[in-house]
Amino acid sequence: MREEMTSTEEVDKPRRRRMDAGERQEEIIRAALDLAASRGVESVTTQDMADALGLTQGAIFRHFPTKDDIWLAAIHWVRGRLMKVVDAAATKGANPLDALEKMFFAHVSFIARHPAIPRMVFSDQLLRRDTRLKLLIQEILTGYEAKIAGLLGQAKAVGLARQDVDEDSAATLFIGMIQGLVLQSSIFGGRRSLPEEAKKVFPIYLDGIRARID
């Protein structure tokens, strides 16, 4: 004969805390990024996200009308966290060039922890399909380049960087180095460590912009 659950057992039974909308949306974003890291952006479906979280597909769409809205939210999520990471790193710099170096390695470490980011940023199909994504990434890059150029300008002002260095071009190169390292890491897989390769590259960049001491 089946035993009935006592009132005490009902009280003691653990209950899953109900998430608010913001928490659930972040959970969906994190699941999407985790799946994209292993499968690629285009291969991930909303059903995959629902399965990973133990939800229905309808529950996903209650928070995001389309899959592209999830990727758009994911890029917003990445921007917020990446900028927080690099800003915190820059404040620890002893001078503008040291701040640039700390930003560089903080950025590289962030991407190494979130390998889905390059897959989103470099997805031509995704960017062509939704111009909102392309415009947002352009906005992020423009703001980031301005931040780097500002530090380079400060370095020139205190005599740490060469006076003939073009801040905007050097800022573009700074970001381009990271993009190149990420691409190589993706192509070569585990044979080339992103953080280790970054340690080899940045000193060359620094040597090119640092002021010469006679």
Side-chain angles (χ1 to χ4, degrees):
M1 182 176 180
R2 187 182 65 182
E3 295 182 0
E4 293 183 359
M5 182 180 290
T6 65
S7 59
T8 301
E9 288 173 324
E10 289 175 348
V11 171
D12 291 341
K13 185 178 179 180
R15 295 182 180 179
R16 186 177 180 182
R17 185 177 67 84
R18 185 180 182 84
M19 291 185 176
D20 62 31
E23 290 174 319
R24 180 65 78 190
Q25 288 168 3
E26 180 166 346
E27 184 185 49
I28 294 169
I29 289 168
R30 286 178 177 274
L33 290 172
D34 287 344
L35 290 165
S38 60
R39 304 184 190 181
V41 173
E42 296 304 325
S43 298
V44 179
T45 67
T46 51
Q47 187 61 59
D48 292 331
M49 299 174 199
D51 291 343
L53 296 172
L55 301 174
T56 65
Q57 201 171 14
I60 301 292
F61 287 127
R62 278 198 293 273
H63 292 280
F64 298 102
T66 69
K67 187 170 70 170
D68 282 352
D69 287 316
I70 297 174
W71 297 128
L72 182 66
I75 293 174
H76 277 291
W77 185 90
V78 167
R79 174 172 65 174
R81 279 148 187 80
L82 175 60
M83 290 302 104
K84 184 177 180 179
V85 165
V86 296
D87 285 345
T91 60
K92 297 176 183 177
N95 57 60
L97 288 187
D98 190 39
L100 278 175
E101 183 170 353
K102 284 180 166 51
M103 282 177 63
F104 181 85
F105 288 106
H107 189 157
V108 168
S109 296
F110 183 84
I111 293 177
R113 293 194 303 273
H114 301 284
I117 295 173
R119 289 178 177 267
M120 287 193 299
V121 174
F122 298 141
S123 174
D124 288 338
Q125 186 175 349
L126 185 62
L127 299 183
R128 284 198 303 268
R129 190 172 66 235
D130 193 329
T131 57
R132 297 175 302 166
L133 296 168
K134 186 174 183 178
L135 290 173
L136 177 57
I137 292 173
Q138 289 176 347
E139 179 186 324
I140 294 170
L141 286 174
T142 300
Y144 196 12
E145 286 179 342
K147 188 184 297 292
I148 296 164
L151 283 171
L152 287 164
Q154 293 174 32
K156 289 170 66 173
V158 296
L160 292 173
R162 288 168 35 196
Q163 294 303 306
D164 62 343
V165 168
D166 182 272
E167 294 104 295
D168 293 334
S169 297
T172 299
L173 180 58
F174 182 101
I175 296 174
M177 285 192 301
I178 297 174
Q179 292 173 333
L181 288 169
V182 169
L183 182 59
Q184 285 195 7
S185 179
S186 176
I187 292 172
F188 288 97
R191 287 179 291 168
R192 290 195 180 181
S193 162
L194 184 57
E196 290 303 316
E197 293 299 316
K199 290 178 184 177
K200 300 175 186 176
V201 169
F202 192 80
I204 300 172
Y205 175 80
L206 197 59
D207 187 61
I209 64 174
R210 184 185 283 131
R212 298 290 183 261
I213 299 176
D214 297 328

